Amino acid sequence: MSATVDFPSSPAHRGRGGGRSLPSGSPAALLRQAECGLAAAEAEADPAERFTQAYLSALRAAAAMLAHRGRPHRGRARPTSVWTLLSAVAPELREWAAFFAACSSTRAAVQAGRIRLVSARSADDLVRQAGQFIGLIARVVPG
Protein backbone atom coordinates (compact mmCIF):
# COMPACT_ATOMS: atom_id res chain seq x y z
CA MET A 1 0.00 0.00 0.00
CA SER A 2 1.43 3.37 -0.90
CA ALA A 3 0.67 6.69 0.68
CA THR A 4 0.11 9.81 -1.35
CA VAL A 5 0.36 13.29 0.02
CA ASP A 6 -1.31 16.12 -1.83
CA PHE A 7 0.42 19.47 -1.37
CA PRO A 8 -0.17 22.45 -3.59
CA SER A 9 2.81 23.16 -5.77
CA SER A 10 3.97 26.67 -6.38
CA PRO A 11 5.06 28.12 -9.71
CA ALA A 12 8.45 28.79 -8.12
CA HIS A 13 8.90 25.06 -7.40
CA ARG A 14 11.78 23.56 -9.31
CA GLY A 15 13.36 20.18 -8.79
CA ARG A 16 16.88 19.88 -7.45
CA GLY A 17 19.64 19.52 -9.94
CA GLY A 18 18.71 22.33 -12.27
CA GLY A 19 15.63 22.01 -14.37
CA ARG A 20 14.98 18.28 -14.00
CA SER A 21 11.49 17.48 -12.90
CA LEU A 22 10.69 15.40 -9.84
CA PRO A 23 7.59 13.28 -9.36
CA SER A 24 5.23 15.32 -7.17
CA GLY A 25 5.00 12.75 -4.37
CA SER A 26 8.65 11.74 -4.40
CA PRO A 27 10.70 12.23 -1.25
CA ALA A 28 12.98 14.69 -3.06
CA ALA A 29 10.05 16.76 -4.36
CA LEU A 30 8.45 16.89 -0.91
CA LEU A 31 11.76 17.94 0.64
CA ARG A 32 12.19 20.64 -2.00
CA GLN A 33 8.68 21.92 -1.23
CA ALA A 34 9.60 21.99 2.47
CA GLU A 35 12.73 24.01 1.72
CA CYS A 36 10.80 26.47 -0.48
CA GLY A 37 8.12 26.83 2.19
CA LEU A 38 10.74 27.52 4.82
CA ALA A 39 12.26 30.24 2.62
CA ALA A 40 8.79 31.77 2.27
CA ALA A 41 8.30 31.60 6.05
CA GLU A 42 11.62 33.35 6.64
CA ALA A 43 10.58 36.17 4.31
CA GLU A 44 7.06 36.54 5.72
CA ALA A 45 6.43 39.64 7.87
CA ASP A 46 3.17 38.52 9.50
CA PRO A 47 3.91 36.29 12.55
CA ALA A 48 0.78 34.15 12.14
CA GLU A 49 1.55 33.49 8.49
CA ARG A 50 5.23 32.87 9.30
CA PHE A 51 4.20 30.32 11.96
CA THR A 52 1.81 28.56 9.59
CA GLN A 53 4.33 28.45 6.74
CA ALA A 54 7.02 27.05 9.04
CA TYR A 55 4.68 24.38 10.40
CA LEU A 56 3.57 23.32 6.92
CA SER A 57 7.20 23.18 5.81
CA ALA A 58 8.01 20.81 8.67
CA LEU A 59 4.95 18.76 7.72
CA ARG A 60 6.22 18.45 4.14
CA ALA A 61 9.64 17.38 5.42
CA ALA A 62 7.98 14.71 7.57
CA ALA A 63 6.03 13.56 4.50
CA ALA A 64 9.34 13.33 2.62
CA MET A 65 10.73 11.05 5.31
CA LEU A 66 7.58 8.90 5.23
CA ALA A 67 7.78 8.68 1.45
CA HIS A 68 11.46 7.74 1.72
CA ARG A 69 11.18 5.10 4.43
CA GLY A 70 7.69 3.86 3.73
CA ARG A 71 4.56 3.92 5.75
CA PRO A 72 4.07 1.37 8.54
CA HIS A 73 1.42 -1.27 7.85
CA ARG A 74 -1.76 -0.33 9.67
CA GLY A 75 -4.33 -2.56 7.98
CA ARG A 76 -7.70 -0.83 8.08
CA ALA A 77 -6.74 1.58 10.83
CA ARG A 78 -8.24 5.03 11.11
CA PRO A 79 -6.38 8.04 9.69
CA THR A 80 -3.31 8.85 11.73
CA SER A 81 -1.33 12.03 12.21
CA VAL A 82 1.82 12.36 10.14
CA TRP A 83 3.64 12.99 13.42
CA THR A 84 2.46 9.64 14.83
CA LEU A 85 3.48 7.88 11.62
CA LEU A 86 6.86 9.60 11.67
CA SER A 87 7.53 8.32 15.19
CA ALA A 88 6.83 4.77 13.99
CA VAL A 89 8.89 5.00 10.79
CA ALA A 90 11.78 7.06 12.17
CA PRO A 91 12.06 6.55 15.95
CA GLU A 92 15.16 8.75 15.98
CA LEU A 93 12.85 11.67 15.13
CA ARG A 94 10.31 10.92 17.89
CA GLU A 95 11.13 14.09 19.86
CA TRP A 96 10.76 16.23 16.75
CA ALA A 97 7.45 14.55 15.96
CA ALA A 98 6.21 15.26 19.50
CA PHE A 99 7.34 18.89 19.24
CA PHE A 100 5.51 19.53 15.97
CA ALA A 101 2.46 17.55 17.11
CA ALA A 102 2.26 19.94 20.05
CA CYS A 103 2.21 22.84 17.57
CA SER A 104 -0.67 21.35 15.56
CA SER A 105 -3.50 22.85 17.59
CA THR A 106 -1.93 26.31 17.46
CA ARG A 107 -1.50 26.02 13.70
CA ALA A 108 -5.13 24.96 13.31
CA ALA A 109 -6.32 27.84 15.52
CA VAL A 110 -4.24 30.34 13.55
CA GLN A 111 -5.62 29.06 10.26
CA ALA A 112 -9.10 29.46 11.77
CA GLY A 113 -8.36 33.13 12.42
CA ARG A 114 -7.11 33.18 16.00
CA ILE A 115 -3.89 34.96 15.02
CA ARG A 116 -3.31 36.49 18.46
CA LEU A 117 -2.10 33.08 19.63
CA VAL A 118 1.20 33.61 17.80
CA SER A 119 3.74 36.25 18.73
CA ALA A 120 6.63 37.33 16.54
CA ARG A 121 8.98 35.43 18.85
CA SER A 122 7.01 32.17 18.73
CA ALA A 123 6.85 32.42 14.93
CA ASP A 124 10.60 33.02 14.76
CA ASP A 125 11.22 30.08 17.09
CA LEU A 126 9.11 27.77 14.93
CA VAL A 127 10.88 28.93 11.76
CA ARG A 128 14.23 28.14 13.40
CA GLN A 129 13.04 24.72 14.64
CA ALA A 130 11.52 23.87 11.25
CA GLY A 131 14.82 24.79 9.60
CA GLN A 132 16.73 22.43 11.89
CA PHE A 133 14.21 19.66 11.28
CA ILE A 134 14.30 20.10 7.50
CA GLY A 135 18.09 20.03 7.66
CA LEU A 136 17.99 16.68 9.46
CA ILE A 137 15.59 15.24 6.91
CA ALA A 138 17.78 16.54 4.06
CA ARG A 139 20.67 14.44 5.38
CA VAL A 140 18.60 11.26 5.03
CA VAL A 141 16.36 11.82 2.01
CA PRO A 142 18.23 11.57 -1.28
CA GLY A 143 17.64 14.37 -3.66
Side-chain angles (χ1 to χ4, degrees), residues 32-79:
R32 181 69 181 138
Q33 290 174 13
E35 292 167 341
C36 289
L38 182 63
E42 290 169 341
E44 179 61 51
D46 178 57
E49 186 61 27
R50 195 163 58 247
F51 184 95
T52 299
Q53 286 282 345
Y55 178 87
L56 293 176
S57 296
L59 191 63
R60 287 182 179 103
M65 179 61 93
L66 291 175
H68 174 65
R69 291 221 178 145
R71 188 173 159 180
H73 176 71
R74 300 181 312 127
R76 291 182 172 234
R78 295 181 3 215

Side-chain angles (χ1 to χ4, degrees), residues 15 30 32 40-41 52 64 66 77 80 82 86 93 97 102 108-109 118-119 121 125 128:
L30 291 166
R32 181 69 181 138
T52 299
L66 291 175
T80 304
V82 69
L86 184 65
L93 298 173
V118 177
S119 67
R121 176 161 183 168
D125 289 345
R128 185 177 59 257

Side-chain angles (χ1 to χ4, degrees), residues 55-123:
Y55 178 87
L56 293 176
S57 296
L59 191 63
R60 287 182 179 103
M65 179 61 93
L66 291 175
H68 174 65
R69 291 221 178 145
R71 188 173 159 180
H73 176 71
R74 300 181 312 127
R76 291 182 172 234
R78 295 181 3 215
T80 304
S81 160
V82 69
W83 305 119
T84 301
L85 292 172
L86 184 65
S87 291
V89 169
E92 70 275 18
L93 298 173
R94 189 170 287 139
E95 288 181 37
W96 282 104
F99 171 77
F100 287 111
C103 297
S104 294
S105 61
T106 303
R107 191 263 321 158
V110 167
Q111 285 191 306
R114 296 177 52 203
I115 60 174
R116 289 182 285 125
L117 293 175
V118 177
S119 67
R121 176 161 183 168
S122 64

